[in-house]
Amino acid sequence: MDASILRTAGFAPVDAAGWRALAEKALKGADFDATLLSQTDDGIAIQPIYPRREGALPLAHSHAATPHAGGAWTVNQRRDDADTARARAQMADDLENGATGIALVFKGSAAAHGAGMTASGETAFAKTAAARAATPFSLRLEANFQDKALSATLARALDKADARSAPVHFGLDPYSAALSGTSSEAGESAARAKDLIGFGFSGTVLNADGRLAHNAGAGEALELAIVAAALAENLRRLDAAGLAPETTFAATALCLAADQDQFLTTAKFRAARLLHARMQAACGISEPKPAHIHAETSWRMLTRLDPETNILRNTIAVFSAGTGGADEITVLPHTLALGVPDPFARRIARNMQVVLITESHLANVADPAAGAGGIEALTDALAEKAWELFADIEKAGGLSAAIASGDIARRVETARQARRVRPIVGTTLFALKAERPVTVLGPLSDVATPGLRPVLLADCVEAA
């Protein structure tokens, strides 16, 4: 804060050394570092106080140019109900009441979490395309990479309907499928991506996705490193297919989980932009473009006990992703860990974003964390730690090789085992004496996979 403001308010200005002296006096002999310093699960030190970072510039994002969303980030709602008629009604309600994007979530995808639609051929996609042509909204496809027909079917339906007024994100992601053990066909990604890029839709075709690793236990730096490694592998594969790096960067969405750790989540999303810019520079791109970042609230932070507390966790996660510059956000409804969410849970998931945009005006400021010393320091530290881990993956032959060797799974498991046990409100702290009844539309499917699988933190605590 400016010294003149302090003097006007009746306070004498204090520098870092003066503050330290006052803090040590208040500690009455207790060790300063042991008492006031903390660290993240990645071992990044967090100081108790930081000076403002002078001259810091805001990090650019891309959602300012999204007329379908009114210049805010895209408010995504999941279409993940296997009941087709019910899902259509849900989608119509979402779009009439604030949603500006729909995520088509299919069974078997890493994002399904036991819910999800069943592939039903071109008819369902054609109807989706027709509805989209009448009311522009962003579309995101969440499907297993081995479901080869889905993305092509969607592209043909949208092309036939000439539905190009809003983005479509096809979400091709062979690496999450390989991590989950459901597919090992990454070699096909370049040809499929090249075909989809040829349709000329706005939006993205490929995902560089850290959500599965996060939900299986990875820390922030490892999640970012996996995203960077997936992007690097996309660059190599599409370069071999004759596409320029600029095309691949534009065609790849970075997908990250957002959880209830406000500052770390904001820093993680900002760090992703630094990594993206650094990789563009390494490719010799003279006019770098900001990444398109998709945020999804964390599955692993959800609880089955006292699920209303998940509303608070999701709200912090959305706030953090929004201040971190996410371009689209999908909220997992607060009852998803218990079953297919009902209309009330879906409305809460949608409205928490709408309120933050329309009433809190959170999307009106580009990078509000710019210059905040603590967040800037966390951003830089996360980016550097992630780059080190990314370099390790590259030295091992790239992401596909690291997945095949089991190295990524081992890193994720090590991170999960090492995570500090923290109290969970409603589960281990202030637990209800009797659980309130919760309404869901149906049970979730078994999500057992031979590879990585999402694990709720609450389940880990209960198991311990």
Side-chain angles (χ1 to χ4, degrees):
M1 182 179 289
D2 187 88
S4 62
I5 297 177
L6 287 170
R7 282 191 291 269
T8 301
F11 296 98
V14 178
D15 59 14
W19 177 88
R20 172 81 180 233
L22 290 171
E24 289 179 337
K25 181 180 179 181
L27 289 173
K28 299 179 179 179
D31 183 83
F32 180 93
D33 289 350
T35 306
L36 296 183
L37 268 65
S38 60
Q39 64 178 20
T40 71
D41 289 325
D42 289 312
I44 295 171
I46 300 177
Q47 302 289 333
I49 192 169
Y50 290 86
R52 175 175 178 79
R53 182 170 296 184
E54 301 297 337
L57 298 176
L59 300 178
H61 54 63
S62 62
H63 61 255
T66 51
H68 75 281
W73 68 76
T74 297
V75 177
N76 261 343
Q77 279 285 83
R78 288 161 57 98
R79 178 173 171 173
D80 58 359
D81 192 339
D83 185 312
T84 302
R86 197 164 59 193
R88 288 178 188 159
Q90 290 170 350
M91 189 172 79
D93 182 65
D94 290 330
L95 294 172
E96 288 172 3
N97 292 283
T100 54
I102 296 292
L104 302 173
V105 182
F106 287 86
K107 289 184 182 298
S109 73
H113 303 301
M117 302 182 293
T118 303
S120 56
E122 290 196 26
T123 302
F125 285 121
K127 291 179 179 179
T128 296
R132 185 173 184 266
T135 307
F137 59 90
S138 171
L139 267 178
R140 169 165 287 278
L141 184 60
E142 298 279 11
N144 194 306
F145 185 73
Q146 67 182 357
D147 294 330
K148 302 175 186 178
L150 290 178
S151 56
T153 301
L154 178 59
R156 286 194 298 269
L158 292 172
D159 189 53
K160 184 177 180 180
D162 195 25
R164 298 174 182 274
S165 54
V168 55
H169 303 282
F170 290 97
L172 291 188
D173 179 17
Y175 314 114
S176 291
L179 275 171
S180 67
T182 58
S183 175
S184 57
E185 302 170 345
E188 300 180 3
S189 61
R192 290 169 62 182
K194 192 172 182 180
D195 288 343
L196 291 172
I197 290 170
F199 279 93
F201 295 108
S202 64
T204 59
V205 167
L206 293 149
N207 282 353
D209 201 333
R211 291 174 294 171
L212 175 57
H214 166 91
N215 287 319
E220 289 79 14
L222 181 55
E223 181 185 355
L224 287 168
I226 289 171
V227 167
L231 178 54
E233 195 131 333
N234 286 342
L235 285 163
R236 285 191 289 270
R237 292 184 186 279
L238 269 66
D239 178 69
L243 296 180
E246 291 89 343
T247 301
T248 303
F249 278 109
T252 304
L254 311 187
C255 301
L256 296 167
D259 69 14
Q260 76 273 30
D261 192 318
Q262 178 184 334
F263 295 139
L264 262 179
T265 296
T266 295
K268 179 172 70 176
F269 279 79
R270 298 180 80 249
R273 295 204 177 277
L274 296 184
L275 293 170
H276 188 264
R278 188 170 178 178
M279 293 179 73
Q280 288 186 85
C283 290
I285 296 175
S286 58
E287 297 183 7
K289 298 291 192 294
H292 178 88
I293 300 184
H294 170 226
E296 181 179 85
T297 56
S298 170
W299 162 265
R300 78 183 187 195
M301 75 175 177
L302 296 180
T303 64
R304 296 187 183 91
L305 297 177
D306 196 4
E308 286 87 355
T309 57
N310 292 327
I311 299 172
L312 302 177
R313 298 182 184 97
N314 279 344
T315 302
I316 297 170
V318 172
F319 178 90
S320 305
T323 55
D327 299 297
E328 53 174 325
I329 301 178
T330 302
V331 174
L332 302 183
H334 68 282
T335 59
L336 182 59
L338 294 167
V340 179
D342 72 346
F344 173 74
R346 294 177 60 85
R347 178 164 60 88
I348 294 295
R350 182 184 68 234
N351 283 352
M352 70 175 58
Q353 296 201 61
V354 174
V355 168
L356 285 171
I357 291 171
T358 61
E359 296 186 17
S360 300
H361 306 291
L362 193 61
N364 288 10
V365 179
D367 194 12
I375 295 179
E376 291 280 12
L378 265 180
T379 299
D380 290 346
L382 271 177
E384 287 305 313
K385 180 69 173 179
W387 191 265
E388 292 174 10
L389 295 174
F390 164 55
D392 289 342
I393 295 170
E394 288 294 283
K395 290 173 184 176
L399 184 58
S400 289
I403 293 172
S405 70
D407 179 58
I408 298 297
R410 285 191 294 271
R411 288 176 182 267
V412 172
E413 179 62 18
T414 298
R416 187 177 69 81
Q417 294 290 349
R419 177 162 287 103
R420 290 168 293 165
V421 176
R422 298 177 177 87
I424 300 176
V425 174
T427 299
T428 63
L429 190 65
F430 309 119
L432 296 175
K433 292 182 179 179
E435 287 291 310
R436 292 182 288 270
V438 176
T439 302
V440 294
L441 300 180
L444 300 175
S445 302
D446 182 18
V447 293
T449 65
L452 287 185
R453 61 178 298 178
V455 180
L456 298 179
L457 293 176
D459 287 352
C460 298
V461 170
E462 291 168 5

